[in-house]
Amino acid sequence: MSVIVYIPREATALSLGAHAVARAVTEEVSRRQESVQIVRTGSRGLFWLEPLIEVQTSEGRMAYGPVQAADVPGLFAAGFLGAGQHRLRLGLAESIPYLKNQERLTCGRLGVIDPLSLDDYRAHGGYHGLKAALPMEPAAIVRAVTDSGLRGRGGAEFPTGIKWKTVHDAPGTQKYIVCNADEGDSGTFSDRLLMEGDPFCLIEGMTIAGLAVGATRGYIYLRCEYPHAHDTMTQAIATAYAQGYLGTDLLGSGRAFGLELRLGAGAYICGEETSLLESLEGRRGQIRFKPPLPALKGLFGCPTVVNNVISFASVPIILQRGAQYYRDYGMGRSRGTLPIQLAGNIARGGLVERAFGVTLRELLYDYGGGTRSGRPIRAVQVGGPLGAYWPQSKFDTPLDYEAFAQAGGMLGHGGIVVFDDTVDMAAQARYAMEFCAIESCGKCTPCRIGSTRGVEIIDRLIAGDRAAMQQALLRDLCDTMFNGSLCALGGLTPYPVLSALDYFSEDFSKPAVLQAAMR
Ligand SMILES: Cc1cc2nc3c(=O)[nH]c(=O)nc-3n(C[C@H](O)[C@H](O)[C@H](O)COP(=O)(O)O)c2cc1C
Ligand code: SF4
């Protein structure tokens, strides 16, 4: 019988040499005339160990990492196919503390299955959710999602079941399901990992959504910077059609759902749902006025569900295990689990799926292991480029939508970017304002003009040019942007800018000689 060796084909692992490792394993296998089956998987999301390769044993999968092609002959010499001892041996994959201490409800198959194998997906619990949903009344599916407490994982935190009910109740013969796979937030990659590692889960979640609201067509709007996700999703959609999991007769039920994938050109604003719909319809990505809500008048003017990748991917397990099972995880009004992404200057960057309630400190130190540079953590930014910069004093905040809002931040898509004590927070504030100026869609004045004026004010502030006046002006401008912007890009840019000013004010008043040296 062949020994099974698992090697990731996910973008992070590839960038670190996974293809070369796979080639080296193939060569070594043929040189030694061993009987080996290589399975290419997604990533489990333990990035500092990538390429992380695994060998099937009777006790489970033995993990080795990070492996380079040059390590492969030594691994074979050490009896790697029989889980032999080697300096890169990490123990059973499931026992690595980073992974063992997670609650993987949505991301449980990442790095485990062959993402392109429908058989593997089904063997690991796939399509049980759809099978449960098919005989249900649409309203009962909507109720299950509502009862689970699932809230949108893309950033706006809106209850998914309520959105689905609005579309379900809306009149109209044509309705749409749109998946937001634009994943523009800094430090985020859970959508990509899911699409590269478990594409059928997203397809299943969107299909269930279609059944729930009466939509027979869906679109995935994917950012063009994700070529591997594009490739994997494209192949998975074709397989699902070929095997009756998409099309006009879902599993012989007579129900229909079809899916297409569209590429966005890479503008941050196209992640906002109304811009996304503009772009999907073939126009420049620009914000639409709300109301009407996309749920009532969305794609091509029809009632449309727009949800994030992780929101859809969380649905199959809710239908499979029941709303209460999912709801039992979490705290307060934040139910279930959140795939959190640790990025920036962090020793153990990657994906941590935990129930809401885990603190930032646990994530940064117990999972993340502090900074990669070994220096103290000075600041973190949670929730993408519009999230606040937080100092150490906020690290005991539990991951909970309400707790974060109360503390002046937001959880957003669950991305955490870490900075050590060499960070210049005035430069970060300037960067946040400049980001807004560059990415502004231009539809409203507070954002289009305000962000450019904001960069100029921060420049004068950093230069020490009438600092008190510039500070007052900056706060006034941020107030206008917060209250007067049409969407959250202009509306939330004050969060990173003012949090940097409030918590790290010393960085805005460096002596001129030091500033010159830093430039
Ligand atoms: C500037 C801006 C960028 C956004 N980018 C994304 C994105 O990349 N992915 C995403 O899912 N949601 C993004 N959103 C949120 C979407 O507008 C929308 O709330 C979300 O797709 C709804 O799905 P959910 O309820 O499942 O989160 C963005 C919002 C704003 C204002
Ligand atoms: S806030 Fe900025 S991105 Fe949003 S509508 Fe106004 S100009 Fe466009």
Side-chain angles (χ1 to χ4, degrees):
M1 219 173 78
S2 301
V3 180
I4 306 176
V5 174
Y6 300 90
I7 304 176
R9 40 168 281 161
E10 170 274 341
T12 313
L14 292 183
S15 72
L16 293 164
H19 272 339
V21 171
R23 268 197 307 274
V25 170
T26 309
E27 280 164 19
E28 200 60 28
V29 163
S30 92
R31 202 173 66 76
R32 292 172 173 263
Q33 299 190 329
E34 300 274 9
S35 177
V36 168
Q37 183 195 348
I38 297 176
V39 175
R40 302 302 298 268
T41 62
S43 169
R44 290 189 189 258
L46 283 60
F47 288 161
W48 78 103
L49 296 175
E50 292 289 7
L52 177 73
I53 72 176
E54 299 171 20
V55 180
Q56 185 70 57
T57 74
S58 52
E59 280 89 52
R61 292 191 193 177
M62 186 58 70
Y64 295 81
V67 177
Q68 289 300 296
D71 297 318
V72 171
L75 279 168
F76 275 80
F80 147 79
L81 292 182
Q85 197 48 261
H86 187 276
R87 68 183 166 81
L88 297 177
R89 197 174 94 155
L90 300 161
L92 293 174
E94 307 280 349
S95 306
I96 298 171
Y98 193 91
L99 200 54
K100 190 176 167 199
N101 299 323
Q102 296 197 27
E103 292 152 309
R104 289 206 165 182
L105 302 191
T106 305
C107 301
R109 282 180 292 260
L110 297 191
V112 176
I113 61 166
D114 172 354
L116 296 176
S117 164
L118 197 46
D119 288 341
D120 217 1
Y121 181 62
R122 281 186 301 228
H124 288 83
Y127 277 119
H128 285 292
L130 179 64
K131 282 183 186 145
L134 272 171
M136 288 166 72
E137 286 295 321
I141 305 175
V142 172
R143 207 160 40 245
V145 174
T146 308
D147 291 348
S148 74
L150 177 67
R151 287 162 74 178
R153 303 295 190 232
E157 309 164 3
F158 190 78
T160 306
I162 294 179
K163 186 183 287 187
W164 288 20
K165 184 169 180 347
T166 309
V167 180
H168 170 274
D169 292 351
T173 46
Q174 182 66 63
K175 300 178 183 180
Y176 291 105
I177 305 296
V178 172
C179 174
N180 188 341
D182 203 50
E183 196 162 56
D185 281 354
S186 41
T188 61
F189 43 80
S190 60
D191 295 354
R192 182 180 61 74
L193 285 189
L194 194 290
M195 289 184 285
E196 291 185 24
D198 197 9
F200 292 111
C201 182
L202 174 57
I203 296 171
E204 184 181 355
M206 292 181 71
T207 308
I208 294 170
L211 295 177
V213 305
T216 52
R217 252 215 103 67
Y219 292 89
I220 299 172
Y221 184 88
L222 176 70
R223 60 182 303 155
C224 65
E225 294 96 331
Y226 280 180
H228 301 97
H230 183 204
D231 183 47
T232 308
M233 284 306 316
T234 303
Q235 292 190 55
I237 290 170
T239 305
Y241 268 113
Q243 300 205 26
Y245 286 88
L246 285 174
T248 50
D249 186 19
L250 294 174
L251 299 180
S253 65
R255 317 279 290 277
F257 189 70
L259 197 52
E260 272 181 59
L261 193 144
R262 294 287 163 86
L263 283 183
Y268 182 67
I269 200 61
C270 285
E272 194 281 339
E273 58 186 7
T274 62
S275 287
L276 185 155
L277 293 174
E278 284 289 291
S279 176
L280 209 48
E281 290 181 16
R283 285 185 291 278
R284 178 161 79 91
Q286 198 170 38
I287 299 293
R288 289 180 183 171
F289 289 103
K290 282 195 269 194
L293 293 170
L296 296 172
K297 205 165 179 292
L299 189 64
F300 304 119
C302 300
T304 303
V305 167
V306 183
N307 274 133
N308 170 257
V309 172
I310 298 295
S311 311
F312 282 124
S314 302
V315 167
I317 198 165
I318 292 170
L319 271 294
Q320 180 189 349
R321 301 267 184 118
Q324 193 59 44
Y325 173 83
Y326 192 79
R327 200 185 172 79
D328 281 346
Y329 291 85
M331 67 175 281
R333 288 179 49 223
S334 306
R335 308 311 313 175
T337 58
L338 182 67
I340 301 138
Q341 302 119 93
L342 296 179
N345 190 342
I346 187 93
R348 297 194 289 261
L351 183 80
V352 180
E353 184 176 349
R354 280 287 306 264
F356 289 93
V358 60
T359 65
L360 259 181
R361 195 178 296 283
E362 285 172 83
L363 291 164
L364 294 169
Y365 294 101
D366 298 352
Y367 290 90
T371 63
R372 191 174 174 82
S373 62
R375 302 181 67 94
I377 298 179
R378 180 157 185 243
V380 296
Q381 188 180 32
V382 186
L386 310 176
Y389 288 107
W390 275 4
Q392 285 266 353
S393 60
K394 301 261 189 188
F395 288 2
D396 292 314
T397 311
L399 263 72
D400 163 65
Y401 293 125
E402 277 63 45
F404 260 62
Q406 211 169 20
M410 64 167 186
L411 256 179
H413 190 40
I416 302 178
V417 181
V418 181
F419 300 85
D420 75 9
D421 62 350
T422 61
V423 65
D424 177 347
M425 294 306 294
Q428 290 303 127
R430 186 190 192 281
Y431 173 73
M433 198 57 108
E434 192 185 23
F435 179 82
C436 181
I438 292 168
E439 297 293 339
S440 170
C441 84
K443 187 144 180 166
C444 69
T445 316
C447 168
R448 185 183 69 245
I449 307 288
S451 54
T452 298
R453 294 291 89 85
V455 173
E456 294 162 2
I457 297 170
I458 295 173
D459 279 344
R460 289 198 296 272
L461 178 57
I462 294 173
D465 174 3
R466 295 161 293 164
M469 191 186 92
Q470 307 303 347
Q471 272 213 32
L473 204 54
L474 184 59
R475 287 186 189 282
D476 194 35
L477 173 68
C478 282
D479 187 57
T480 304
M481 289 176 73
F482 183 77
N483 290 301
S485 295
L486 195 53
C487 85
L489 177 53
L492 297 184
T493 291
Y495 273 72
V497 172
L498 292 183
S499 58
L501 192 59
D502 289 340
Y503 301 124
F504 306 95
S505 57
E506 61 278 18
D507 286 19
F508 290 79
S509 52
K510 291 190 203 78
V513 59
L514 190 58
Q515 281 170 27
M518 287 173 69
R519 279 196 289 270

